[in-house]
Amino acid sequence: MTGKPIPTPAEPFEGRQHSDLDRADRFVIPLLLVSAFVVILNETIMGVALPELNRDLGISVSTGQWLTSAFMLVMAVVIPVTGYLLQRFHVRQVFITAMALFSLGTLLCFLASGFPALLAGRIVQAGGTAIMMPLLMTTVLNLVPADRRGRTMGNISIVISVAPAIGPTLSGLILDVLDWRWLFGLVLPIAIGGLVLGALFIRNVTEPSAAGVDLPSVLVSACAFGGLVYGFSGLGQKTEAATVIPPGAAIAVGAVALMLFVWRQLLLQRHDRALLDLRVFRSTQFSISIGLVLISFLALFGTLILLPVYMQYVLGHDTLVTGLTMLPGGLAMGLLAPVVGRLYDRIGPRPLVIPGAALVSAVLWSMTLFGTGTPVGGVVAAHVLMSLGLGLMLTPLLTGALGSLEPSLYSHGSAVVGTIQQVAGAAGTASFVAIMSAVSANRIAGGMDEITAQADGITTAFTMGATISLPALAATFLVRGTTTKTKNVTTS
């Protein structure tokens, strides 16, 4: 490629203020943020729509569940490959591919006349969604100066937190007045608009390498992360798929495949040919931060799955009240994220991460006191406070983790973050539900009424989460600020 050099994030922008970016760069980051928001929003709209979809398409509940399960599986398989894609191809090429896949998948879903076509559309959508977040993070790391990176990563945290929070609520509102196909029809013009704008304005900010892809690594990666996500997602569920491939067997296969994957990457990275370069874990701060991110997502997704169950089956509220109960927490996390990003740029991660982890732990312990008579206001307050605690943690942890890497490892670090998010989300959901189900069944067998038994199971699951939060809180004292490395990249 030819063109002028672009300073990397850690390199001073000589001759201009750090607050100045090229006009094109100032446009690219918001475009990527909006595009990422749309694709992640789409990931969470299906839960509320599944009952209507099942009735309209004449399919069983377990069959309809594949619309979300297949989406998660494709995400788990594709995300580890994005590290290679972002090294091998230009940012512009990867963005166009991601948004083209997402737009095509959305169109297929909108036009779907039956379950097979709808499932195919969801699978194509997932391919584009999986690429978008690592692409966004890698682009930000290559464009934004280190002293402004926190506020930009704060905006990414808005995408991560607000999109899942409003997805179910928005889905419910659309389904009140329109057919389920409009869940995709209303998103389609936004996706196409993002694709066109990206094709016109996104420029290349990295220097691709000519390395080939290691196909055995791709296959083993698919077995590893796909097996783990499928297995964790299926624990405690009595579905048709679980009788064909038992979740426990899938987890075992995934664990063995993961060990093989790690072994092969350690061999390949000696020659810079790894599909997912594990040298990112040589950074102590990256390893500590990613461990804390994993625990954070375990708590987040576990809570998100249990609170609606608690609201509906224990407290007896309908889906509308349940959806509105969950909305303030996501919005609070989104509103806090830019503030946390600016504070990170000024004071670093520790003054934010430590109180955030303490708040999350305190809220989880308070949730162990939930019972059959807990007021809705108490549930909303707990969820909001927990969201604020996670908001104090996620932006500093993600920014510090990725900022501690060599620029050549940014894409691999972003892929690791995305993979951890998927696996932790599945594991958190499965572990919380499995504990709730086991304890509830045991209490019912002992003669306890069903509602009280359900409440007992939920609080026991929260006790597990609260217990895990204590070593996580201790680990936050090991978090340090990072000094980023530099290299020159060019644009065409």
Side-chain angles (χ1 to χ4, degrees):
M1 291 194 306
T2 60
K4 64 180 182 178
I6 297 178
T8 55
E11 179 183 346
F13 277 27
E14 297 181 7
R16 55 178 173 158
Q17 297 296 319
H18 281 197
S19 59
D20 292 335
L21 290 173
D22 288 346
R23 182 176 300 177
D25 295 341
R26 289 199 301 268
F27 177 77
V28 164
I29 293 176
L31 174 61
L32 287 173
L33 285 168
V34 171
S35 300
F37 184 88
V38 170
V39 299
I40 294 178
L41 178 69
N42 173 81
E43 188 178 355
T44 61
I45 62 175
M46 291 303 297
V48 176
L50 282 178
E52 182 173 330
L53 277 165
N54 295 338
R55 290 191 298 268
D56 189 55
L57 299 176
I59 57 178
S60 66
V61 173
S62 58
T63 300
Q65 190 63 38
W66 274 103
L67 294 171
T68 54
S69 297
F71 195 99
M72 290 179 62
L73 282 172
V74 174
M75 291 275 288
V77 169
V78 174
I79 287 177
V81 183
T82 58
Y84 160 77
L85 294 176
L86 291 169
Q87 282 204 324
R88 179 64 180 83
F89 300 101
H90 290 299
V91 164
R92 184 171 178 272
Q93 293 173 307
V94 177
F95 176 84
I96 291 174
T97 299
M99 288 308 293
L101 284 172
F102 180 78
S103 299
L104 175 60
T106 304
L107 177 62
L108 290 174
C109 292
F110 179 55
L111 299 177
S113 58
F115 175 75
L118 182 58
L119 180 62
R122 288 289 286 172
I123 289 172
V124 175
Q125 273 189 325
T129 303
I131 299 171
M132 187 55 64
M133 283 307 296
L135 171 65
L136 172 59
M137 290 185 180
T138 302
T139 304
V140 165
L141 290 166
N142 278 287
L143 279 181
V144 180
D147 64 347
R148 295 185 62 245
R149 197 176 294 157
R151 68 190 69 182
T152 307
M153 292 295 285
N155 292 332
I156 294 177
S157 295
I158 296 177
V159 171
I160 294 174
S161 58
V162 176
I166 69 173
T169 305
L170 182 61
S171 177
L173 292 174
I174 293 173
L175 291 172
D176 274 345
V177 295
L178 295 170
D179 179 78
W180 61 262
R181 289 173 179 81
W182 287 101
L183 292 174
F184 307 101
L186 295 177
V187 169
L188 183 58
I190 303 174
I192 294 175
L195 172 61
V196 172
L197 290 174
L200 291 174
F201 294 106
I202 286 184
R203 65 194 183 106
N204 299 313
V205 298
T206 57
E207 183 69 52
S209 64
V213 63
D214 181 62
L215 291 179
S217 291
V218 176
L219 295 175
V220 176
S221 169
C223 293
F225 299 110
L228 290 173
V229 169
Y230 171 86
F232 285 133
S233 301
L235 285 177
Q237 297 187 24
K238 297 180 180 179
T239 63
E240 296 168 5
T243 62
V244 178
I245 306 176
I251 293 174
V253 170
V256 173
L258 181 60
M259 290 187 286
L260 290 174
F261 179 76
V262 170
W263 172 75
R264 186 160 184 84
Q265 302 319 294
L266 292 175
L267 292 178
L268 291 174
Q269 69 189 24
R270 298 174 184 173
H271 310 287
D272 293 325
R273 294 178 51 230
L275 180 70
L276 190 62
D277 199 319
L278 302 181
R279 283 177 290 191
V280 294
F281 290 103
R282 290 181 181 176
S283 166
T284 302
Q285 289 310 305
F286 182 87
S287 299
I288 293 172
S289 297
I290 289 302
L292 289 170
V293 167
L294 187 150
I295 294 173
S296 299
F297 277 115
L298 280 171
L300 174 61
F301 283 91
T303 303
L304 286 177
I305 196 68
L306 284 197
L307 282 184
V309 174
Y310 175 71
M311 289 290 297
Q312 294 179 55
Y313 290 96
V314 177
L315 299 185
H317 297 290
D318 59 23
T319 54
L320 177 60
V321 173
T322 300
L324 292 175
T325 299
M326 304 297 290
L327 185 60
L331 295 178
M333 191 189 298
L335 292 172
L336 180 65
V339 178
V340 172
R342 291 185 178 89
L343 288 173
Y344 173 88
D345 290 333
R346 293 179 183 176
I347 62 178
R350 288 186 70 194
L352 300 168
V353 173
I354 293 173
L359 182 57
V360 169
S361 182
V363 172
L364 283 170
W365 283 111
S366 74
M367 286 180 171
T368 65
L369 303 176
F370 281 2
T372 56
T374 303
V376 174
V379 178
V380 173
H383 186 235
V384 168
L385 289 173
M386 182 176 181
S387 299
L388 292 175
L390 290 170
L392 287 170
M393 294 178 67
L394 288 178
T395 296
L397 289 174
L398 291 173
T399 309
L402 294 170
S404 70
L405 301 177
E406 297 279 351
S408 61
L409 294 175
Y410 284 163
S411 59
H412 292 284
S414 299
V416 168
V417 169
T419 304
I420 288 292
Q421 180 180 346
Q422 291 299 311
V423 174
T429 300
S431 57
F432 275 57
V433 169
I435 290 175
M436 176 198 70
S437 301
V439 172
S440 298
N442 182 266
R443 298 292 189 271
I444 292 173
M448 185 179 287
D449 68 276
E450 188 172 341
I451 293 178
T452 305
Q454 192 88 49
D456 218 21
I458 290 172
T459 54
T460 303
F462 285 141
T463 301
M464 180 201 71
T467 303
I468 293 173
S469 73
L470 295 178
L473 175 58
T476 59
F477 289 88
L478 301 176
V479 173
R480 297 286 187 275
T482 56
T483 302
T484 54
K485 309 294 179 66
T486 66
K487 76 170 185 177
N488 285 330
V489 291
T490 58
T491 183
S492 58

